[in-house]
Amino acid sequence: MLGSILYALIHIACIAIPIAAALLLEDAKKILAAKEAKLGKTTKSSNEAPASAPASPRKVAAPGPDLSALEAELKKEIEEVEKLKASLKAKKADAETKLAELTAKEAEVGSKVADVESKEKALESREAELDSKEAELKELGSKLDERDAALAAKEASSTRVESTESTAPVSDDEAKPEEAEEEAEDDAAAEEEAERAKRKKMIDEELDLILKKALEELEDEDEFEPEAVEALKLAAAKITYLKKYYDVMRDEVIYFPSVAKCIINYTLMEEAEPHYFDEDDEFPADYSGALREVATGIIGEEDDDAPDEDYMAALAMDVAI
C-alpha cells in the first residue's frame, strides 16, 4: 500500500514539474518580449530626428548628455536581457535534469512495487497452505482423541467384566500380563536402538558427503585435519537430527535439523571448536568457508514445498540419542 502511494506521488511530480517549467518559461518569454519591445521603441525614437527642427547651415553639435545616458540605459537593458536568457536556459536545463531523475525514480519505484506485490501474493499462498495443514492436523488430532476415548471405554468395559467374572477360570494368556508388558518394553527398547542407529547413519553419510565436496573447494589441501573431522563428528552427534516430525501430506517422518542447516547457521562449527585441539584454538576459517559453500548448494536443492522447521518444531517429537 505504501509503495503504491509513493509511486503515485512520484508520477504526479513527473507531470507537475514539466508543467511548472513550461509556465515559468512562458512568463519569462513575455517579460523578454516586453523588454525587447521597449528596447526597439527606445532605439527608434533615438534614431528619428525631430520633425519641427529647422534646417540650419551651421555645424551639428555633438550628442549631448541625454543621448549618452540613453545609450548607457540601452546597454544596461541589453545586458539584463542576456542575463535573463542565460537564467532561463539554466532553469530549463535544471528542470529537464530533475524530470529525468524523477522518471528514473518512477521506474525504480514501479519495479519495487511489483516486487512487493509478488512477495505479498507468495506470502498469502504460504499462509493459505499453512492454514490448510493446520486444519488437517486438527482433524488428525480429533481422530486421535476419538480413538483414545474408544480405548478408554474399552478398558473400562474390560475392567467391569473382570470384576464380575473374577471366579471364572483364568486362561494362560490372561495369566501373563507381566510377560506382555516386558515384551512391550523390549520392543520399545529395540525401536529406540534402531532409531539411534538410523540417526547415526544419517549423520555419518551427510557429513562424509559434505566433507568430500568441501575438500574439492580447498585447492591447497589434500585432506582435512583428523582433529577437525573428529570435532565435527562430535558436534554433529550432539546437535543434529534431534527432532522428528510426521508429515501427513507426504506420509513420512522428517528428521531435523540436518547437518547442512547447522553448517549454514554456524552452530556446527561453534559446537566443534571446543573439541578442536585446545579450547583456545579456533576452528579453521577456510574449513568453515568451504563447508558453508557446499551446505548452501545442498539447501538450495531441497524441495521448496517441505514444511518450515519452525512450524515442525512446534509439533515434533524427540529422537532417541
Side-chain angles (χ1 to χ4, degrees):
M1 182 66 181
L2 181 59
S4 299
I5 294 174
L6 180 59
Y7 179 80
L9 289 176
I10 291 180
H11 186 69
I12 292 171
C14 288
I15 296 173
I17 286 181
I19 293 174
L23 292 175
L24 180 61
L25 186 61
E26 187 66 25
D27 291 341
K29 286 181 178 179
K30 290 180 179 179
I31 295 173
L32 182 60
K35 287 185 176 292
E36 288 177 347
K38 181 179 178 182
L39 285 173
K41 184 177 179 181
T42 306
T43 305
K44 182 178 180 181
S45 62
S46 63
N47 291 331
E48 291 179 351
S52 59
S56 175
R58 295 183 180 180
K59 187 179 180 180
V60 179
D66 293 338
L67 184 59
S68 300
L70 182 59
E71 289 178 351
E73 184 180 354
L74 287 173
K75 186 177 180 181
K76 183 177 179 181
E77 291 288 345
I78 291 171
E79 290 177 353
E80 289 181 358
V81 169
E82 293 299 329
K83 289 180 181 179
L84 184 57
K85 286 182 179 179
S87 175
L88 287 175
K89 186 176 181 181
K91 288 181 179 180
K92 181 180 178 182
D94 184 55
E96 290 175 350
T97 301
K98 290 183 178 179
L99 178 59
E101 292 176 354
L102 287 173
T103 303
K105 288 183 179 179
E106 181 183 12
E108 182 182 356
V109 171
S111 176
K112 290 182 179 180
V113 169
D115 185 49
V116 170
E117 291 176 350
S118 175
K119 289 182 179 179
E120 286 178 352
K121 290 181 180 178
L123 182 59
E124 289 174 358
S125 175
R126 183 64 174 171
E127 288 177 351
E129 182 182 353
L130 291 176
D131 291 339
S132 175
K133 289 184 178 180
E134 184 178 1
E136 291 175 359
L137 289 174
K138 287 182 179 179
E139 182 179 355
L140 180 61
S142 299
K143 291 180 179 179
L144 291 175
D145 291 339
E146 291 175 1
R147 183 185 295 180
D148 291 341
L151 289 174
K154 187 174 182 180
E155 289 177 359
S157 176
S158 299
T159 303
R160 288 196 297 272
V161 171
E162 289 175 0
S163 63
T164 56
E165 299 179 356
S166 58
T167 57
V170 180
S171 65
D172 292 339
D173 293 338
E174 294 174 348
K176 299 178 180 180
E178 293 182 358
E179 293 181 4
E181 184 176 349
E182 289 178 358
E183 289 180 1
E185 290 178 355
D186 291 341
D187 291 341
E191 289 180 1
E192 288 185 359
E193 188 61 30
E195 190 170 62
R196 290 191 188 95
K198 180 179 180 179
R199 175 177 178 266
K200 185 177 184 303
K201 182 180 178 182
M202 291 168 63
I203 293 173
D204 291 342
E205 289 180 351
E206 185 178 5
L207 184 58
D208 289 344
L209 176 62
I210 292 175
L211 287 172
K212 181 179 179 180
K213 291 185 177 182
L215 189 59
E216 298 174 359
E217 300 290 333
L218 298 171
E219 298 179 355
D220 299 332
E221 298 286 343
D222 295 330
E223 63 179 7
F224 281 98
E225 295 177 348
E227 294 81 3
V229 175
E230 183 63 23
L232 289 171
K233 288 184 176 180
L234 291 173
K238 188 174 181 180
I239 66 173
T240 63
Y241 294 119
L242 299 177
K243 297 287 184 179
K244 59 183 178 180
Y245 165 78
Y246 175 67
D247 188 350
V248 295
M249 300 294 293
R250 303 184 180 190
D251 191 24
E252 66 176 351
V253 177
I254 300 175
Y255 292 83
F256 67 99
S258 65
V259 176
K261 284 287 181 68
C262 292
I263 290 175
I264 290 293
N265 58 25
Y266 291 99
T267 54
L268 186 67
M269 283 76 82
E270 290 175 356
E271 185 63 36
E273 194 165 284
H275 306 289
Y276 178 69
F277 290 106
D278 297 330
E279 293 183 359
D280 296 335
D281 293 321
E282 295 183 356
F283 194 80
D286 54 343
Y287 285 6
S288 298
L291 291 170
R292 292 193 77 248
E293 185 71 22
V294 175
T296 301
I298 293 175
I299 297 300
E301 295 174 358
E302 290 184 352
D303 188 357
D304 293 336
D305 295 332
D308 183 71
E309 287 195 2
D310 292 335
Y311 174 77
M312 293 191 296
L315 303 169
M317 299 175 61
D318 293 332
V319 176
I321 58 175

